Amino acid sequence: MSSKELSASNPSPNTREDDDQKAEVIRRRAGYLRAIAEASRASAEARLEKAEQDRTAAKGSCQTAEADRRAAEEHRCSVKKLRQAAK
């Protein structure tokens, strides 16, 4: 057996240590990516909540504007009736 074949069949003792280091790097990256994903999810939930609040406020604003429009129309009708009565 050549020395090349021996080294291939008998991995260096550092291989296990290298594998452990690589595994640790992968675990750290995975943890980092999980933290980023969780932060992104929390941010998205906050944006959705804010959008829902804005939608609710806009709906209330539209209802108020509609009520104001009706009140103005009633006022115009009353003024028109008073003018007709005054003639």
Side-chain angles (χ1 to χ4, degrees), residues 16-78:
R16 170 94 181 183
E17 188 176 311
D18 290 345
D19 289 346
D20 289 346
Q21 288 176 349
K22 288 177 185 176
E24 180 61 27
V25 167
I26 290 169
R27 279 192 290 275
R28 286 181 186 170
R29 285 181 184 167
Y32 178 71
L33 292 174
R34 267 193 300 278
I36 290 172
E38 288 174 10
S40 294
R41 181 188 52 77
S43 177
E45 286 178 1
R47 286 192 311 270
L48 284 172
E49 186 175 317
K50 174 72 169 107
E52 180 63 23
Q53 290 171 352
D54 291 349
R55 187 191 66 76
T56 301
K59 184 178 178 183
S61 178
C62 288
Q63 290 172 344
T64 301
E66 181 64 20
D68 289 348
R69 188 193 62 73
R70 278 192 232 120
E73 184 61 32
E74 289 173 10
H75 179 72
R76 280 191 289 275
C77 287
S78 296

